[in-house]
Amino acid sequence: MKKSSLILLTLLITSKVYSQPNEWKSLETISDKYKIDGSISVREIVDTTLMKNVVKDRRFIIKKSEGFTYIGIKSNTSSILNAYLIDANKISVLHSSAALGQIDLVREDTTYRATKTEFDWIFRDPESWDEMHPDGVDTIEKFYNRYGWMANTWNSGSYREVEMIIDNAHFTNNTRLIISYTSREDGEYGIRFKEGKNDVSISGDPEVDKQLHNGYIPEMLEFAEGMK
């Protein structure tokens, strides 16, 4: 190979290596490839640029870069998406349906107590709600600026697809990520709780898990035996 060609090739490779980190450096640079609009593109599925961890299943994909975590649900029916960020002393529930809201449960001995009795629904889908929350925001981007995560709501994109992106400032090295979504498998409609590809239950009680998924917060929560 000629010296000039080798230099050009080196420059191209170097340019690619050093330009890629900017793609995941801020929400603005992510939005060129990852539009949180409830329509999961081929690129959002196959792109693993700078991803440190990828979980792919038939119904969902979770991709974690240094700065952000992306969750995409490809259900076969209408779906709600929850993400549960579980640490030793706190559980944060990030909920997307006809509105976006977050609730934290704080550990007390062997149980967790909700800091509020219900979600605030700070971003409300205007096609589903007649009015905003008194302290609400009118876009998911503004919601992100306040909470550090965002997701699409029911009336954007496909009703079967839900996307969420979370700033990794929400995570420590020990944070567990569980998601829940709805789908129909073998003719049976149900709520699926997943940690990685594994089926899990947060509480051990299907009715309590259902409440959590649907946006209702129990005053107290105790982990299922397998979650401890």
Side-chain angles (χ1 to χ4, degrees), residues 158-223:
S158 166
Y159 75 101
R160 297 179 177 182
E161 298 184 0
V162 191
E163 298 179 281
M164 180 181 288
I165 199 161
I166 308 168
D167 190 310
N168 284 347
H170 282 284
F171 294 84
T172 70
N173 290 335
N174 298 316
T175 302
R176 299 170 66 179
L177 171 62
I178 292 175
I179 64 170
S180 63
Y181 62 94
T182 45
S183 68
R184 188 177 297 276
E185 307 299 338
D186 299 323
E188 183 178 345
Y189 177 87
I191 301 168
R192 322 294 170 185
F193 281 76
K194 298 281 187 176
E195 184 170 18
K197 294 185 179 182
N198 298 322
D199 294 311
V200 296
S201 169
I202 288 182
S203 69
D205 183 333
E207 285 303 312
V208 174
D209 283 354
K210 182 179 179 181
Q211 283 184 345
L212 281 170
H213 175 77
N214 287 332
Y216 300 97
I217 302 301
E219 182 181 354
M220 300 291 291
L221 175 68
E222 187 167 355
F223 270 165

Side-chain angles (χ1 to χ4, degrees), residues 1-16:
M1 182 181 291
K2 292 182 179 179
K3 185 176 181 180
S4 59
S5 299
L6 181 60
I7 292 173
L8 178 59
L9 180 60
T10 302
L11 287 173
L12 286 172
I13 293 173
T14 303
S15 174
K16 185 176 182 181

Side-chain angles (χ1 to χ4, degrees), residues 1-197:
M1 182 181 291
K2 292 182 179 179
K3 185 176 181 180
S4 59
S5 299
L6 181 60
I7 292 173
L8 178 59
L9 180 60
T10 302
L11 287 173
L12 286 172
I13 293 173
T14 303
S15 174
K16 185 176 182 181
V17 168
Y18 284 98
S19 66
Q20 283 180 347
N22 292 326
E23 297 176 1
W24 283 88
K25 192 172 183 180
S26 69
L27 190 66
E28 288 72 22
T29 55
I30 292 172
S31 64
D32 290 338
K33 288 186 175 182
Y34 288 77
K35 299 183 186 302
I36 309 304
D37 57 4
S39 181
I40 300 173
S41 68
V42 172
R43 174 172 283 186
E44 288 169 336
I45 290 292
V46 303
D47 174 44
T48 56
T49 304
L50 300 176
M51 296 297 174
K52 295 181 176 295
N53 188 35
V54 178
V55 178
K56 276 189 176 182
D57 199 61
R58 179 170 62 156
R59 300 290 180 210
F60 65 87
I61 184 168
I62 301 172
K63 299 195 287 189
K64 186 182 289 288
S65 74
E66 183 176 346
F68 298 90
T69 297
Y70 170 85
I71 304 169
I73 302 296
K74 292 180 71 73
S75 183
N76 56 357
T77 186
S78 59
S79 191
I80 289 170
L81 169 60
N82 277 10
Y84 308 87
L85 312 184
I86 301 175
D87 288 297
N89 296 310
K90 185 177 73 171
I91 303 171
S92 294
V93 183
L94 319 184
H95 177 96
S96 171
S97 56
L100 303 182
Q102 177 176 332
I103 195 79
D104 295 330
L105 297 96
V106 178
R107 184 170 183 172
E108 295 182 357
D109 296 323
T110 60
T111 62
Y112 290 80
R113 181 182 294 275
T115 56
K116 295 182 179 181
T117 57
E118 60 183 32
F119 288 91
D120 287 331
W121 307 127
I122 294 297
F123 174 72
R124 297 176 172 180
D125 190 323
E127 295 187 44
S128 301
W129 295 75
D130 292 330
E131 58 185 22
M132 286 178 56
H133 184 277
D135 189 35
V137 294
D138 58 0
T139 67
I140 62 171
E141 288 78 14
K142 290 179 182 178
F143 183 90
Y144 178 89
N145 290 335
R146 186 179 297 189
Y147 288 96
W149 67 274
M150 67 181 185
N152 66 281
T153 49
W154 280 346
N155 289 302
S156 59
S158 166
Y159 75 101
R160 297 179 177 182
E161 298 184 0
V162 191
E163 298 179 281
M164 180 181 288
I165 199 161
I166 308 168
D167 190 310
N168 284 347
H170 282 284
F171 294 84
T172 70
N173 290 335
N174 298 316
T175 302
R176 299 170 66 179
L177 171 62
I178 292 175
I179 64 170
S180 63
Y181 62 94
T182 45
S183 68
R184 188 177 297 276
E185 307 299 338
D186 299 323
E188 183 178 345
Y189 177 87
I191 301 168
R192 322 294 170 185
F193 281 76
K194 298 281 187 176
E195 184 170 18
K197 294 185 179 182

